[in-house]
Amino acid sequence: LFATQPWDGLTQVAFSPDGQMVVTGDTEGEIVVWSVATRTIISQWSVDDASAITGLAFAEATTLVAGTEAGSVFLWNLLDPTQPLGHVTYPNPVSDWAFATTATELIALGADGRVTRFDRVTGQRLGQGTITDPARLVMLSADGQVALLVGEGNEVQGWDIAAAQPLSFTLQHTGNYTANVNAVTFAPDGRTLVSASFNGSINVWDGVTGELLRPPLLAHSVNILDMAYSPDGLWLASAGCHHFSGPGICQNGEILLWDTATWTVTQRM
């Protein structure tokens, strides 16, 4: 545990690339940086707009980026987080953020469809644009070239970021019954992508052709909330919830660990 007091309203968690720090964000806009080794707080502060953190990631070893529900993106140097390196505010609320890095840039995609590019070292804003209408969930490929956008329902639409055009296919998530897609993620290979639904099913896709690679995975008995790949792509963790005690508060959940070579469950927690 990283705290002796209860943590209510935690919305985002990110590990530093070297695994030495973990950063959390909450519904009040507070950022806390923890030492993994000592389980103590290194620094903490609140974002200027004091709204919920809806996206959190590392752009560099010590550069943190956060997106807020109020529509702001902040970049900080964790060696001196008193003033952000970069900051941009959009006019609309943003329920979800996705981030990706290239050799020189950080790319931020908001669920409102706006794309902003920053210098990943200095935080300087390099440009911005809009690719599509608002979505409910967003995800970027590791190279920032392809975006996945999820609205209400079971469709996942891919977009070419550079061309600001949709890809030639739309993914139709399937399962025991039609339900909202709750999570999408790319595998580290940049080609395979996975979608998960409120109906407890997982679909595995070819992200280039849009082909469904196997029948739906139905090991979850509950709705799936989120997923994450291991860095080597050999494992996928999927998290679901049996019962919510309040909005966004899971009282009884489960995590499954999948072997991605065979797509079998190796551990249930």
Side-chain angles (χ1 to χ4, degrees):
L1 295 177
F2 285 89
T4 56
Q5 72 273 27
W7 277 89
D8 295 326
L10 193 67
T11 57
Q12 296 286 317
V13 178
F15 274 92
S16 61
D18 62 7
Q20 298 302 304
M21 295 179 288
V22 62
V23 184
T24 60
D26 67 16
T27 56
E28 303 299 321
E30 185 175 38
I31 305 285
V32 182
V33 183
W34 301 84
S35 165
V36 172
T38 65
R39 305 297 200 267
T40 56
I41 293 175
I42 299 172
S43 58
Q44 63 187 115
W45 66 94
S46 294
V47 295
D48 292 344
D49 62 19
S51 70
I53 306 298
T54 51
L56 196 63
F58 276 82
E60 290 280 344
T62 58
T63 303
L64 182 73
V65 56
T68 73
E69 189 174 40
S72 295
V73 179
F74 298 90
L75 282 83
W76 296 277
N77 182 343
L78 294 185
L79 300 179
D80 181 17
T82 54
Q83 292 292 330
L85 293 172
H87 173 217
V88 62
T89 298
Y90 296 140
N92 303 314
V94 180
S95 60
D96 192 30
W97 291 93
F99 304 107
T101 55
T102 68
T104 59
E105 295 181 355
L106 166 75
I107 302 168
L109 169 65
D112 63 348
R114 296 175 187 265
V115 180
T116 306
R117 298 176 181 273
F118 298 89
D119 184 295
R120 61 184 287 182
V121 176
T122 67
Q124 178 185 358
R125 182 171 48 170
L126 303 176
Q128 66 183 66
T130 302
I131 63 168
T132 183
D133 294 330
R136 184 169 52 89
L137 301 172
V138 290
M139 172 61 66
L140 281 170
S141 59
D143 60 7
Q145 298 303 303
V146 176
L148 301 177
L149 301 109
V150 181
E152 296 299 328
N154 68 329
E155 290 189 353
V156 180
Q157 177 67 63
W159 277 75
D160 182 317
I161 290 288
Q165 294 290 330
L167 300 180
S168 59
F169 57 83
T170 299
L171 308 180
Q172 299 274 349
H173 186 100
T174 61
N176 289 327
Y177 59 90
T178 300
N180 279 354
V181 171
N182 282 347
V184 289
T185 188
F186 280 96
D189 65 11
R191 182 181 180 105
T192 305
L193 64 90
V194 182
S195 60
S197 171
F198 190 83
N199 64 23
S201 64
I202 293 175
N203 286 182
V204 183
W205 308 87
D206 185 311
V208 176
T209 66
E211 176 189 2
L212 185 64
L213 298 178
R214 58 178 304 112
L217 305 172
L218 303 173
H220 271 285
S221 59
V222 298
N223 61 82
I224 302 172
L225 303 179
D226 206 358
M227 301 178 295
Y229 266 96
S230 62
D232 57 14
L234 299 179
W235 307 96
L236 178 81
S238 55
C241 187
H242 289 277
H243 175 68
F244 290 92
S245 59
I249 302 174
C250 181
Q251 186 173 349
N252 184 12
E254 68 177 14
I255 298 174
L256 302 187
L257 187 63
W258 300 82
D259 180 335
T260 60
T262 60
W263 288 108
T264 56
V265 176
T266 63
Q267 192 169 356
R268 187 183 295 265
M269 296 169 276

